[in-house]
Amino acid sequence: MKILHTSDWHVGKVLKGQSRADEHKQVLAGVIEIARDERPDLVIVAGDLYDTAAPSPEATRLVTRALTALRRIGADVVAIGGNHDNGQALDALRPWAEAAGITLRGAVRENPAEHVIEGTTRDGERWQLAALPFLSQRYAVRAVEMYELTAAEATQTYADHLGRVLTRLTEGFTEPDRVHLVTAHVTVVGATTGGGERDAHTVLGYAVPATVFPGNAHYVALGHLHRSQRVIGPCPVRYSGSPLAVDFGEQENVPSVTLVEVTAQTAAQIREVPVPAAVPLRTVRGTLAELAELTPPEGWLRVFVREQPRAGLREEVQELLPRALEIRIDPELVAAPGSGTRVAQRAGRSPRELFADYLDSRGHDDDGVRELFDELFEEVDR
């Protein structure tokens, strides 16, 4: 069987105030075109279909149309909820999805059998997929209790709970003539973040070892980390990555989907297929004079300006580089703590004095900014 694995679409993403709706239309059209060329038996979307738990009608239309188009090529389509998605809202779309022949699993349900999906390919290869949406720490405990996997003790970790849930979902991976698959939205120890993930759900106890996945799985399709990569584990474990760079921290990532060919008796053959049409994100550095001479690279820009801060600097850079979405003073020019700069003491100092000390500590010698602060302070202090 052939599997197309994608994840982390983040439809509805706004980057520094710039809508990326047109980019998402082009990128998802590219994913659909790859599916038409490759003719997979199964498409797995491993979470974070949306960038927000309250997607706009436009974002909802784009996601549902993309899923429908993937189904129309003749593939089974399974999509799970990620940490950015509203699991209950995705599950509310299940009647539409089932009518369209699409399998949606937004949140963990009381019946574990609902998360075990079975199918047969055009050529008669039988497969079974354990589909686990994103679980917060609180709901991981609840899932363990729902599935009656003994009491969830406070001393147990998130990884313990997730491992026990996956063991329950994959306990049927016993038939030798069936392809056994897992999809989940989770951070695995040893994997590399892509640069734009939500930190609270990639650290602070959310990372789990790859040993939570069963050794007899033929392939584990993961979402959550935005960089395409293999993870060392007891079976083939892989992140497909996001099909477009979500933030400037991901500008070096190569947007792609993962294609997997596997049978019940043979190991998974894996390859990446780049996704065309993604607008690149670039970072440029320089003084105003250097930026004025720059031939702007294609894409959205992050600009590190090698100038001392002053009022109006952002506007000057924006005039030179209209596609600059993020403009910052170059971090190398910002005085580091303990570098000899005088630190303001709060006791007995006026707000004006404290603000003046802050400007001095940052090398921001601009009387216009001080005067503006005085005007604003007078407004709020009346």
Side-chain angles (χ1 to χ4, degrees):
M1 70 179 297
K2 183 183 285 189
I3 304 158
L4 188 153
H5 168 202
T6 180
S7 72
D8 296 274
W9 291 356
H10 287 271
V11 174
K13 174 69 177 179
V14 175
L15 180 60
K16 311 300 179 184
Q18 173 65 45
S19 170
R20 306 191 74 188
D22 289 341
E23 294 173 61
H24 267 114
K25 290 175 185 175
Q26 296 171 10
V27 164
L28 292 181
V31 172
I32 294 163
E33 190 60 33
I34 291 170
R36 287 198 182 104
D37 291 342
E38 296 286 347
R39 288 183 52 79
D41 299 290
L42 173 65
V43 174
I44 299 174
V45 188
D48 280 355
L49 286 79
Y50 299 105
D51 191 61
T52 172
S56 67
E58 179 185 23
T60 302
R61 281 194 298 271
L62 182 52
V63 166
T64 53
R65 287 174 180 175
L67 294 175
T68 300
L70 290 169
R71 174 62 182 145
R72 283 177 177 167
I73 67 168
D76 287 304
V77 177
V78 178
I80 62 173
N83 60 304
H84 282 253
D85 298 317
N86 183 325
Q88 287 71 28
L90 278 181
D91 282 335
L93 291 173
R94 282 180 62 170
W96 160 81
E98 289 167 4
I102 296 163
T103 302
L104 277 183
R105 295 295 181 265
V108 173
R109 307 297 287 263
E110 292 185 8
N111 182 3
E114 289 197 50
H115 296 280
V116 181
I117 299 131
E118 299 180 352
T120 305
T121 70
R122 308 176 188 93
D123 297 329
E125 188 81 55
R126 297 166 63 230
W127 55 269
Q128 186 177 59
L129 170 66
L132 181 64
F134 175 75
L135 271 176
S136 68
Q137 290 183 334
R138 179 163 61 99
Y139 281 96
V141 174
R142 180 182 172 190
V144 168
E145 293 173 340
M146 278 195 311
Y147 295 169
E148 298 178 350
L149 303 175
T150 75
E153 299 176 4
T155 56
Q156 292 180 316
T157 66
Y158 176 80
D160 292 330
H161 298 316
L162 202 74
R164 294 165 76 202
V165 170
L166 280 167
T167 297
R168 175 69 177 83
L169 298 182
T170 60
E171 62 185 13
F173 283 14
T174 55
E175 297 184 42
D177 61 345
R178 185 180 299 201
V179 176
H180 301 133
L181 307 167
V182 177
T183 184
H185 195 85
V186 67
T187 302
V188 176
V189 174
T192 304
T193 59
E197 300 88 352
R198 186 172 291 169
D199 287 344
H201 292 150
T202 54
V203 294
L204 300 176
Y206 271 93
V208 304
T211 52
V212 298
F213 303 113
N216 60 348
H218 290 84
Y219 182 71
V220 176
L222 297 181
H224 194 25
L225 302 188
H226 296 173
R227 179 174 297 173
S228 177
Q229 60 192 290
R230 170 178 173 262
V231 180
I232 296 174
C235 57
V237 180
R238 190 169 185 86
Y239 287 96
S240 67
S242 177
L244 83 169
V246 173
D247 209 337
F248 285 104
E250 303 180 10
Q251 63 185 26
E252 301 302 325
N253 296 352
V254 178
S256 63
V257 298
T258 300
L259 267 295
V260 183
E261 294 185 62
V262 64
T263 73
Q265 284 76 39
T266 59
Q269 301 296 313
I270 299 168
R271 56 192 169 95
E272 293 181 32
V273 180
V275 177
V279 175
L281 304 180
R282 309 291 189 199
T283 297
V284 296
R285 289 178 164 85
T287 63
L288 276 178
E290 291 168 337
L291 295 174
E293 298 296 321
L294 179 71
T295 300
E298 179 189 359
W300 301 116
L301 302 180
R302 174 174 62 179
V303 183
F304 288 140
V305 191
R306 297 184 183 275
E307 302 273 354
Q308 292 300 323
R310 65 173 184 275
L313 180 59
R314 177 182 178 84
E315 288 73 15
E316 293 178 56
V317 174
Q318 195 80 59
E319 186 174 347
L320 292 173
L321 301 170
R323 290 181 69 82
L325 298 184
E326 182 178 343
I327 301 170
R328 300 169 53 188
I329 300 301
D330 194 314
E332 295 178 4
L333 295 183
V334 178
S339 61
T341 304
R342 184 165 60 92
V343 178
Q345 300 296 320
R346 290 182 176 274
R349 315 278 318 271
S350 72
R352 290 184 179 87
E353 291 172 321
L354 291 172
F355 186 66
D357 274 352
Y358 169 78
L359 293 178
D360 290 342
S361 74
R362 297 293 181 175
H364 200 315
D365 186 18
D366 191 325
D367 290 337
V369 174
R370 298 171 196 263
E371 292 170 4
L372 180 58
F373 177 84
D374 287 344
E375 292 176 13
L376 294 173
F377 183 71
E378 287 176 6
E379 287 288 335
V380 300
D381 194 43
R382 286 176 181 172

